[in-house]
Amino acid sequence: MRALVLVLDSVGIGGATDAEKYGDAGANTLGHILERMPDLRLPNLESLGLSEIGAGIDNPGRAQTRYRASYGRMQERSAGKDTTTGHWEIAGVILEEPFSTFERFPDELVHAIERDAGVQFIGNYAQSGTTILAELGAEHVRTGKPILYTSADSVLQIAAHEQVIRIDQLYDICTVARQHADRFRIGRVIARPFTGPEGSFSRTARRHDFSMEPPRTILNAISESGRAVIGVGKISDIFAGQGVTESFPTDGNAEGMRQIAENWERLTDGLIFANLVDFDMLYGHRRDVTGYAQALAQFDKWLGEFLERIAPPDLVIITADHGNDPTYRGSDHTREQVPLFVLHEGRTGPLGVRETYADVAATLAEYFELPAPWAVGKSLLLASELRASN
């Protein structure tokens, strides 16, 4: 029994019922990209039913179209719009209280990390990852002091030049920071190594996320049943390794897609949980509409090849964790509904708007015939859903 949950990081489709509460009324990541890039074609996502879920694609012949998947939308039930919250809900955990965000970290927290890690920080304000290097990179190289910063997400980020602070030392500093960050409900501590000369600093692929440990998720339940749970991309980081039996970190979408395909061929019984991060990290936060569109086109091309590798008994779920509309103000995530495509036994048809991302966890519990249904969410494979899909 093979299953894949593939998260297209930040590929939201607008329409969150509570978007205004988050300051995101009108945000629509995919819809606005398609408006700005009218020549963008996503034929393989369209073959799954993209034009049926209000994503901005007009398919005049869709009444006569038979799609390759069941299709719908999901509304996030948890409080928040960050990566960790979205992925945890997909895995069956609802957060009633959002992770904490800061414009500046409290002195109590900063001093505790400095004391226990034996460092002194510079920075401690909210800024984009590329801008912070332009502002403080030279001072860091001159003084050896690591850069502390944050963003609109619940993240505590520590940047250091790899020739100034060794990568293992940076990870050690972040490990100390993680120990203190739990008390402040900070979702992730992120090591942000960079390299290069002044004026040309660039972040390296050796980023590492130190997440708060989640409650028990569907990943634990699947791995406890003796099956493989393979994390591709930053999945293991997001879940602090909990429930993940193998991890394949990646440096971007291309390697992520390659790892998915390779692990799919060798998987005989278990789950691949994958995140493709470039949509969010490289293009959403940087408000790069053209780059985002190109990344979508590259994914769609790969998807066309991968669809041929899916057998009828397999379960493949393609979705997202939040939005990050590159046409919207600021550089933050946007509270949006996310697409939902389910491939299993050739079934097609509408799945409607799901009330929680946790329907994915409930579906995995049903598919893998776990001893008990998942406590949160409704399985997409239940008989009532199957009738609706045929």
Side-chain angles (χ1 to χ4, degrees):
M1 301 181 73
R2 297 188 302 181
L4 167 66
V5 174
L6 177 50
V7 177
L8 310 182
D9 201 313
S10 85
V11 183
I13 54 174
T17 56
D18 55 0
E20 187 172 357
K21 174 183 174 183
Y22 290 83
D24 295 328
N28 185 338
T29 299
L30 186 54
H32 288 157
I33 291 170
L34 290 166
E35 286 179 6
R36 295 279 187 94
M37 308 293 292
D39 293 332
L40 175 62
R41 296 290 180 267
L42 303 171
N44 293 300
L45 282 170
E46 289 185 45
S47 77
L48 303 184
L50 183 61
S51 60
E52 298 288 345
I53 60 175
I57 289 181
D58 183 27
N59 178 5
R62 65 189 184 199
Q64 293 77 41
T65 299
R66 178 171 175 82
Y67 297 104
R68 304 175 68 166
S70 299
Y71 46 83
R73 304 163 68 102
M74 294 197 296
Q75 170 77 32
E76 191 168 14
R77 205 170 97 190
S78 296
K81 55 178 180 177
D82 60 276
T83 295
T84 303
T85 301
H87 281 77
W88 284 14
E89 184 164 330
I90 288 169
V93 173
I94 305 294
L95 290 183
E96 303 295 343
E97 179 185 355
F99 290 118
S100 300
T101 58
F102 298 87
E103 288 293 321
R104 180 184 182 278
F105 295 113
D107 290 342
E108 178 187 2
L109 171 60
V110 175
H111 293 161
I113 300 170
E114 290 178 328
R115 180 194 66 227
D116 291 352
V119 298
Q120 184 178 355
F121 291 118
I122 56 175
N124 190 15
Y125 56 88
Q127 188 55 276
S128 76
T130 51
T131 303
I132 201 76
L133 298 185
E135 293 176 348
L136 296 179
E139 181 181 351
H140 159 70
V141 171
R142 185 177 70 253
T143 65
K145 298 176 181 178
I147 303 168
L148 175 67
Y149 69 108
T150 187
S151 72
D153 268 1
S154 181
V155 291
L156 185 156
Q157 305 188 80
I158 303 174
H161 196 290
E162 291 191 0
Q163 294 179 351
V164 175
I165 296 177
R166 295 195 319 266
I167 193 71
D168 61 314
Q169 293 176 320
L170 177 59
Y171 291 167
D172 287 343
I173 296 168
C174 289
T175 299
V176 171
R178 178 69 268 166
Q179 294 166 357
H180 291 287
D182 281 1
R183 185 159 56 93
F184 292 83
R185 282 192 60 79
I186 297 172
R188 286 178 293 162
V189 172
I190 306 179
R192 289 289 197 176
F194 65 97
T195 190
E198 184 176 349
S200 299
F201 293 135
S202 61
R203 298 191 293 190
T204 74
R206 295 205 277 185
R207 158 188 172 160
H208 187 67
D209 293 29
F210 299 77
S211 288
M212 181 182 288
E213 190 170 308
R216 187 171 184 273
T217 72
I218 192 66
L219 307 187
N220 298 101
I222 294 171
S223 61
E224 288 163 6
S225 73
R227 297 179 171 90
V229 176
I230 300 171
V232 173
K234 58 183 182 179
I235 294 300
S236 184
D237 287 353
I238 292 169
F239 290 90
Q242 300 301 299
V244 179
T245 61
E246 290 183 84
S247 178
F248 295 87
T250 65
D251 63 4
N253 282 8
E255 185 179 0
M257 292 183 286
R258 180 178 62 80
Q259 289 287 1
I260 292 167
E262 290 181 1
N263 281 286
W264 187 250
E265 291 304 311
R266 72 180 182 88
L267 182 66
T268 56
D269 189 22
L271 168 69
I272 297 174
F273 195 177
N275 171 284
L276 298 183
V277 71
D278 285 355
F279 304 113
D280 184 57
M281 182 177 68
L282 297 184
Y283 308 117
H285 285 300
R286 298 180 187 180
R287 297 303 187 241
D288 181 352
V289 176
T290 301
Y292 208 130
Q294 291 172 344
L296 285 166
Q298 290 162 0
F299 167 74
D300 192 81
K301 180 180 179 181
W302 172 86
L303 178 63
E305 300 168 355
F306 183 74
L307 287 172
E308 303 306 317
R309 304 184 182 194
I310 301 171
D314 297 329
L315 172 66
V316 174
I317 299 174
I318 301 174
T319 187
D321 53 342
H322 51 71
N324 198 341
D325 188 341
T327 73
Y328 210 65
R329 58 179 176 268
S331 59
D332 188 16
H333 295 156
T334 43
R335 178 81 167 188
E336 301 179 40
Q337 292 182 356
V338 296
L340 174 66
F341 302 109
V342 181
L343 295 103
H344 180 61
E345 296 290 3
R347 299 185 177 103
T348 68
L351 295 170
V353 179
R354 316 303 298 191
E355 296 179 355
T356 170
Y357 296 0
D359 284 4
V360 174
T363 302
L364 293 171
E366 177 87 5
Y367 177 71
F368 285 116
E369 300 177 344
L370 298 182
W374 195 250
V376 184
K378 297 179 181 179
S379 172
L380 303 167
L381 304 183
L382 293 173
S384 59
E385 298 294 347
L386 298 185
R387 285 195 297 272
S389 300
N390 286 322

